Amino acid sequence: MKELRAAPNLLTLLRLCAVPFLVLAILDHHYPTAFVLFVLAGVSDGLDGLLARLLEQRTVLGQYLDPVADKLLLSTLFLVLNHEGLISRRVTVLVFGRDLGIVMVAAILYASVGMRNFRPSIFGKANTLAQILALVTVLLSMFYAPPFILWLRHGSLEATVAFTVISGFHYAWQIAKRLSPAESTAS
């Protein structure tokens, strides 16, 4: 319970609690509200990491909860925005499929060989940045759409597709590389 009460973990839980309200705002076409909620969720994500370092409240719960909250937020938004016809099926399937694949492989590797350390790669970080920029610009363009925002929306969605594929293959290569020495010593 002590870990649950740590300020960074409370912020992460608050971010998780915001997801249904964000979904409702989008489904009800309240895009300015959805935009503000998404920006606040992003600020809380940065703030929880900063607080964990400053207050020395890094916890095991936080190490698992924070990335789960991020994936849930981003994946849910891609699904809902696709449902509303604001993001293509191609982008949504790639993003959701990659994230689901990574979570499943991580769970299998943890259960079968005890592998826990799944640090994000530079391509994974670039993918997350592209996804966030894509979601921000999609939401923003629903109530403020000068040509620059529309261009940024298109570019960030294309970057999301590219980095989703690249990072997915990169994670697969990293896992294969990490498993190969273990397999050769087990033989």
Side-chain angles (χ1 to χ4, degrees):
M1 281 307 274
K2 182 181 175 188
E3 285 193 2
L4 190 58
R5 285 184 250 162
N9 293 343
L10 290 174
L11 270 176
T12 302
L13 288 171
L14 185 62
R15 188 164 70 253
L16 277 171
C17 291
V19 172
F21 296 102
L22 189 51
V23 169
L24 286 172
I26 293 168
L27 293 175
D28 290 341
H29 306 283
H30 297 297
Y31 298 111
T33 302
F35 176 78
V36 169
L37 287 172
F38 185 64
V39 169
L40 288 174
V43 169
S44 79
D45 187 27
L47 192 56
D48 69 15
L50 180 65
L51 284 176
R53 286 186 291 282
L54 291 177
L55 300 176
E56 296 181 10
Q57 291 185 342
R58 294 181 185 174
T59 64
V60 173
L61 176 64
Q63 289 175 348
Y64 290 100
L65 191 59
D66 186 60
V68 167
D70 293 345
K71 290 293 177 207
L72 182 65
L73 175 67
L74 295 177
S75 294
T76 300
L77 284 182
F78 274 97
L79 287 171
V80 172
L81 290 170
N82 172 259
H83 172 74
E84 292 296 299
L86 302 175
I87 291 181
S88 76
R89 192 175 334 168
R90 171 183 70 124
V91 175
T92 303
V93 168
L94 284 172
V95 167
F96 199 76
R98 173 197 167 270
D99 288 349
L100 185 62
I102 287 173
V103 168
M104 287 177 28
V105 168
I108 291 167
L109 290 174
Y110 177 73
S112 62
V113 294
M115 188 183 293
R116 298 177 191 217
N117 188 1
F118 298 98
R119 297 195 182 263
S121 72
I122 188 71
F123 299 112
K125 289 181 181 193
N127 183 48
T128 300
L129 179 62
Q131 286 182 18
I132 291 168
L133 187 58
L135 293 170
V136 163
T137 56
V138 166
L139 290 172
L140 184 61
S141 70
M142 296 310 296
F143 63 93
Y144 179 71
F148 173 74
I149 296 296
L150 297 176
W151 175 83
L152 196 55
R153 173 186 170 157
H154 176 75
S156 60
L157 286 167
E158 291 300 318
T160 296
V161 168
F163 282 118
T164 296
V165 172
I166 292 167
S167 65
F169 280 118
H170 187 251
Y171 280 123
W173 176 75
Q174 281 184 317
I175 298 234
K177 192 169 103 177
R178 283 178 66 189
L179 287 175
S180 62
E183 289 178 353
S184 63
T185 58
S187 303

